[in-house]
Amino acid sequence: MTGRTQPEGRLRVAVAAPLSEENRARVRELEPRIDLVVDHDLLPPMRWPADFAGDPAWKRGPAGQRAYEEAIDSADALYGVPDVDPAALARAVRANPRLRWVHTMAAGGGGQVKAAGLRPDELDRVLFTTSAGVHGRPLAEFAVFGVLAGAKDLPRLSRRQRDREWSGRWTMGQISRQTVLVLGLGGIGRAVAGALQALGATVIGTSRSGATVPGVSTVIDSDRITEVAPTVDAVVNTLPGTEATEHLLGERFFDALRPGASLVNVGRGSVVDEAALARALDSGRVGFAALDVFETEPLPVDSPLWDHERVLVSPHTAALDPAEDRLIAELFAANATRLLDGHELINRVDTVEFY
């Protein structure tokens, strides 16, 4: 199939990640100029929504692998990073000079593109997009859950219940009287800010552009977070993992934080220095942490975060939503229309900072 000529005004798309028959029909309905190249038998079975890597026990045989790569090498665009593997992405870009666009399933798909180690000319030739925005509402709900759990002292409640102790009454924190720092005001950060503001919280947000965002009372640059740390009751990270954001939340920030503040991480694990966080939790500088992402995943069994009574560990599952696969397919179809009509694509990967 490699080298097949594509009719003018159409887009040949190799489905490199699991895509249900229903969602394939949805893509074709939304953009009839797409020709999908898909063989369901060459794609791994999904174990849950958005499980694009699929069952790790499933393997293609040599003939199946050749057929899979031939389909990829015949396409103008890829729906998904092949096998969610940066090395396979690099192979696809180099083997197929007609490839114009790759859509990654993850909101943080820029990390996969960076890991592929593509040359500057390859990054210029192929457009890369992510599924950012699809996960905004589910992650905003988890963020609100984490902020609420900290305000209401969920660890104390759980401990008392476990010990069957009917203790004296105590006052709980009120979100409507709290100030929350939201790191990053992209699609997820905006959804988080809106949800918290609806509960009456005062929201401070970080943004490099400094643009006004609904629900955010003050927008600051990320280099000022230590300055505002003593004034906040909770911190929600939504930032991607880049060189600029690595360990942004470290010893210096935690030392400046208002004692007992909560931390919620729904961005990338590399933004938080987990060793510094563990010390801040032990000292009480951080009163509660709800973490959906970690520096190393799966979280190592010897991590002190597993056993810390003021930590809630979520196995990178807060974004999962039964509608996620359909929403990604619809986003892909919308971008296909933009590509075919000569418009800028939504969620372009920055191939300098890879977010």
Side-chain angles (χ1 to χ4, degrees):
M1 289 184 286
T2 306
R4 176 178 296 179
T5 301
Q6 183 69 9
E8 189 69 25
R10 298 192 67 81
L11 189 70
R12 184 176 175 83
V13 176
V15 177
L19 181 66
S20 70
E21 183 176 346
E22 179 182 2
N23 285 329
R24 293 198 297 271
R26 182 64 174 151
V27 169
R28 293 188 183 102
E29 174 190 358
L30 291 171
E31 181 41 80
R33 294 172 291 177
I34 287 178
D35 296 318
L36 292 179
V37 182
V38 58
D39 184 339
H40 188 72
D41 291 336
L42 300 179
L43 299 171
M46 298 173 74
R47 296 161 293 175
W48 47 73
D51 181 29
F52 299 111
D55 186 346
W58 181 90
K59 303 293 180 186
R60 291 185 202 93
Q65 186 64 29
R66 284 194 300 273
Y68 181 67
E69 291 180 0
E70 285 177 2
I72 288 169
D73 296 348
S74 74
D76 304 302
L78 300 183
Y79 181 85
V81 170
D83 295 327
V84 199
D85 179 1
L89 173 60
R91 189 217 66 81
V93 171
R94 289 165 183 160
N96 182 5
R98 67 184 281 174
L99 187 64
R100 303 167 58 193
W101 170 37
V102 176
H103 181 75
T104 69
M105 301 292 101
Q112 296 171 338
V113 179
K114 181 180 181 180
L118 298 170
R119 299 188 306 267
D121 63 301
E122 293 166 337
L123 293 171
D124 287 340
R125 173 169 62 89
V126 181
L127 301 173
F128 298 93
T129 57
T130 75
S131 296
V134 166
H135 313 91
R137 180 51 54 188
L139 290 178
E141 290 195 8
F142 184 87
V144 169
F145 165 65
V147 173
L148 280 168
K152 306 307 178 186
D153 205 345
L154 178 61
R156 184 175 183 179
L157 290 170
S158 298
R159 186 172 60 250
R160 295 287 189 270
Q161 181 174 344
R162 182 192 63 224
D163 296 341
R164 298 172 183 264
E165 178 183 347
W166 186 273
S167 65
R169 300 171 69 190
W170 71 87
T171 59
M172 292 185 173
Q174 307 299 312
I175 299 296
S176 59
R177 290 198 288 273
Q178 291 198 343
T179 298
V180 182
L181 173 62
V182 177
L183 301 179
L185 293 174
I188 296 170
R190 287 169 180 255
V192 170
L196 289 169
Q197 191 271 339
L199 291 173
T202 299
V203 179
I204 300 172
T206 68
S207 170
R208 291 189 298 181
S209 71
T212 301
V213 174
V216 179
S217 64
T218 306
V219 178
I220 63 172
D221 193 85
S222 60
D223 62 5
R224 291 185 55 203
I225 61 172
T226 301
E227 175 186 329
V228 301
T231 71
V232 303
D233 302 283
V235 182
V236 178
N237 175 54
T238 75
L239 290 169
T242 69
E243 290 183 8
T245 65
E246 185 169 1
H247 286 188
L248 183 66
L249 301 184
E251 200 85 51
R252 182 166 171 264
F253 176 79
F254 291 130
D255 284 348
L257 198 58
R258 175 179 289 175
S262 300
L263 171 67
V264 182
N265 194 359
V266 293
R268 281 294 175 264
S270 60
V271 178
V272 176
D273 180 342
E274 288 177 5
L277 172 59
R279 291 189 290 271
L281 284 158
D282 288 341
S283 70
R285 181 66 64 172
V286 174
F288 176 74
L291 309 173
D292 185 56
V293 290
F294 300 88
E295 289 189 87
T296 300
E297 295 183 3
L299 183 64
V301 293
D302 59 351
S303 169
L305 298 175
W306 278 114
D307 297 321
H308 206 292
E309 68 173 6
R310 290 198 297 276
V311 174
L312 179 67
V313 171
S314 169
H316 204 148
T317 196
L320 290 195
D321 172 3
E324 181 172 352
D325 296 344
R326 174 181 58 79
L327 294 172
I328 291 174
E330 290 175 348
L331 173 61
F332 178 83
N335 255 344
T337 298
R338 297 179 74 87
L339 183 69
L340 285 163
D341 292 344
H343 300 307
E344 184 74 16
L345 299 191
I346 302 167
N347 294 344
R348 281 277 304 275
V349 171
D350 179 323
T351 54
V352 175
E353 296 193 43
F354 294 96
Y355 70 90

